[in-house]
Amino acid sequence: MAISKEIMGGSMIERSSFVSSTNVFLNQKKQNMLMVNPVLMPLERRRVVVPLRKVVKGPVAAVSEDLVKAVPFSVPAEKAEKFKVRAVVTVKNKSKEDFKDTIVKNLDAFTDKIGRNIVLQLVSTEIDPKTKAPKKSNEAVLKDWSKKSNVKAERVNYIAEFMVNSNFGVPGAITVNNKHQMEFFLETITLEGFACGPVHFPCNSWVQSRKDHPGKRIFFSNKPYLPNETPGGLRSLRENELREIRGDGKGVRKLSDRVYDFDVYNDLGNPDRGIELARPLLGGEKIPYPRRCRTGRLPSDTDMHAESRVEKPLPMYVPRDEQFEESKLDTFSASRLKGVLHNLIPSLKASISANNHEFKGFSEIDNLYSEGVLLKIGLQEELLKKLPLPKVVSNNRGIIKYDTPKILSKDRFAWLRDDEFGRQAIAGINPVSIERLKAFPPVSNLDPKIYGHQESAIKEEHIVGYLNGMTVQQALEKNKLFILDHHDAYLPFLDRINALDGRKAYATRTIFFLTPLGTLKPIAIELSLPPSGPSSRSKRVVTPAVDATTNWTWQLAKAHVCSNDAGVHQLVNHWLRTHASLEPFILAAHRQMSALHPIFKLLDPHMRYTLEINGLARQSLINADGVIESCFTPGRYAMEISAAAYKGSWRFDMESLPADLIRRGMAVPDATQPHGLKLLIEDYPYATDGLQIWSAIENWVRTYVNRYYPNSSLICNDRELQAWYFESINVGHSDLRNEDWWPTLDNADNLVSVLTTLIWLASAQHAALNFGQYPYGGYVPNRPPLMRRLIPEENDPEYAIFLADPQKYFLSALPGVLQTTKFMAVVDTLSTHSPDEEYLGERQQPSIWTGDTEIVDAFYEFSAEMRRIEKEIDRKNHDTSLRNRCGAGVLPYELLAPSSGPGVTCRGVPNSVSI
């Protein structure tokens, strides 16, 4: 435990004067053995000395004086059959209360005095031989609730006292009955009075009033049990708890429910408001897609297959414990996102007139950061003043002002350079699309019967002059050619996209050459349109500039590539691969694995807030006429592009970092290398940092899995584990359930691989794809999310306009002012870390989340490894030989640096997909 104390500085529990250290738990060698009949002993006969520690800074819990007094016993110990034990119950207060909350809270304080209390009961791990039911203590009420109802501390500790028989055994569960009118957030319960030492119950859950949910809530101790090891006293409780969480699949869900179930994406459109807002159902044989959390809302009036909408600011259902907690500070990113979407964007729409629809010069874009946008606030002025707007947005006399994005912080013209364009393909916000070019010319996988012959128009003569004297074949053999290929993702949709008002797109391919310095140089861009006739020029190749005119053509071509890349990044790599594809695994984990299950305990911090942010996305981001449709090139076809990628290229077995790098040809297997593979671009910041984090996660998971599954038969016979994996695939990903690439969960290696992949996707992969969105995309010319004009050719009417004022033409091709400001406000919020963020290597109640002290120590080792990786990333960012992360005007690559402060920092790896 030495390393535990060194890293964490002693836990909150250890510093308490009423709870002793976790060292009083079972000897490590006995962790998997069930404790039987511990002797109960009066507190005054035990000489347990708990050293006082330095007081923790921050909010102090209010504790009754009774808490630190010795508990009196009137019966001599040698004659006693019953003993008194004490529960310390930690309740987290709401930081903000509305008028209704205050009234109900005062009413509860009053009725608590007359018997409408919060009632607890202990349940033993043992069966009573007489009743054949679990042994239970007497019921006990929380003391002093009414006295402490107005305490302003963040956490308040209450006491409950039980009389327990000396043969009670070890308490394994506590039931809680809330007879108040108001829910409360139960953080932890700690029992004292048992010879085995304190027994911890990490709860972290909302307990509803009995009037809303009549049944008692069940909370288990922190000791993990595989299903077949569950003590007799807990078996029925374990099964009943899971049955309640699954629900019956019927009815409309209430916000106070904690039911987890599956449904298709049939709530993105709003056909009741018009046919233009109808959207296809995603999920099913016609358009395969992962499943989402069921809300049970009634069908829309005009389409019985479409679920009725809940529009902002009304909340979308997710199970109660999945909803965002209140932030310790006022600026919590979730509420800020709602504020931006609900209030700022309508103000922007009203303020930016039709006559001011595009930027007149680059200086006007710069003014967004120096001068801001003047809003026509009117009646909304007072409301906007109260809004928790992003830090990047300052509300001063109706002016919305944005922070300067990080891409401009070192070199404001970096975005124009080809080397920066290439660098961002491996160290920007979408470093997971670049591939090694394996065949020349590039080939399409689209069906030629539908889309025609799709051989690339890029020829050897286009690129041979940029290969440092090599032929194309030699460059291929020496692994010097790489490609960003968005051709197949966009071409099937281009006719429909280009028919939209204000949208113009190509399907792009970009070829890069790996220079001797280890940087990527773009050497050709192919711009494809659907063939509309036998004489149509549907493909065009643009190469680096040789004069003024070709310089602007090259800049426009790169902008179209970035627009393609922004769409694939957002719809496929970010939303599909880290948000939507994880949701089925999270739903199934809650439905099939008990909180007692060690694998649930492992995954728990990596599932935090994901259902809530995905629900918010369905409500405001990926919905019809939402932010994604409004701000990105594909428009109303955005989610169909995402679904096409799910059907055509998503494979769970390829989602691990090593498998993905090998699939894209960016690495080759090499057992002599530290991570078992060799990168073909040595200075590939996303991959080099990512492999370090991947290996640390994998080692931690392997240690954990080996602890509970010393042989494969335990994995195969673990009914909860197998039910979780089966349901994740056969229900959550049912449209792909028959694919032969799903790993089988029949041995430790496969289990480690599956769990490591899930944790990687939820933490590091999501961080790499999310938290650089404003730092790189907040300056729209660097990475335009949509384009409004194609590149004119010499015989086009627009060509003369382009020649006369190429800068004006370039700016007119970028998003307009409204689209830009709306996009900036949203990606700023999406790039923001909340103050209560938990980063990789951290978790709530770090010393008591599990009762297995060997695993607690292993987790602290994992935490220490995260700190070591962070120092190594910092070292690499100062290594001038690594030109993709260090140099004049070059941004350091910090997106995978594990820790971060709050705000837009362009770094930090949270445990879960939480924004």
Side-chain angles (χ1 to χ4, degrees), residues 808-867:
K808 182 178 180 182
Y809 190 91
F810 183 88
L811 289 169
S812 72
L814 297 181
V817 179
L818 173 60
Q819 291 166 323
T820 296
T821 50
K822 180 179 181 177
F823 172 74
M824 289 167 62
V826 173
V827 295
D828 165 74
T829 304
L830 296 179
S831 304
T832 300
H833 289 294
S834 65
D836 71 340
E837 200 89 83
E838 290 176 10
Y839 297 95
L840 202 57
E842 300 175 351
R843 62 181 300 160
Q844 294 177 346
Q845 293 99 33
S847 63
I848 63 164
W849 63 273
T850 177
D852 189 335
T853 55
E854 185 172 312
I855 288 299
V856 170
D857 274 351
F859 179 73
Y860 285 144
E861 280 285 357
F862 173 62
S863 300
E865 182 62 19
M866 287 299 104
R867 305 291 80 77

Side-chain angles (χ1 to χ4, degrees), residues 494-537:
L494 278 186
D495 278 333
R496 287 175 283 171
I497 290 172
N498 288 335
L500 296 172
D501 186 36
R503 305 293 168 96
K504 288 294 181 282
Y506 299 98
T508 66
R509 291 185 177 111
T510 308
I511 294 183
F512 298 89
F513 176 70
L514 180 62
T515 71
L517 296 175
T519 59
L520 289 178
K521 178 173 68 176
I523 58 176
I525 294 173
E526 181 184 51
L527 307 168
S528 297
L529 294 169
S532 55
S535 61
S536 168
R537 291 184 60 193

Side-chain angles (χ1 to χ4, degrees), residues 41-50:
M41 189 182 303
L43 286 175
E44 70 265 22
R45 288 188 59 187
R46 275 184 260 140
R47 303 274 303 171
V48 180
V49 179
V50 182

Side-chain angles (χ1 to χ4, degrees), residues 62-89:
V63 186
S64 167
E65 289 183 8
D66 295 338
L67 186 60
V68 294
K69 294 178 181 177
V71 181
F73 292 89
S74 56
V75 183
E78 59 272 13
K79 298 180 181 178
E81 294 184 355
K82 290 196 173 186
F83 297 96
K84 189 180 290 186
V85 296
R86 177 173 56 196
V88 180
V89 179

Side-chain angles (χ1 to χ4, degrees), residues 362 366 407-421 555 558 779 782 889:
F362 286 102
D366 294 339
I407 184 62
L408 302 179
S409 64
K410 284 196 164 189
D411 180 356
R412 63 185 309 101
F413 302 110
W415 66 277
L416 288 165
R417 299 198 319 263
D418 285 357
D419 64 288
E420 177 63 18
F421 178 77
Q555 294 298 342
K558 289 195 295 182
Y779 186 66
N782 176 61

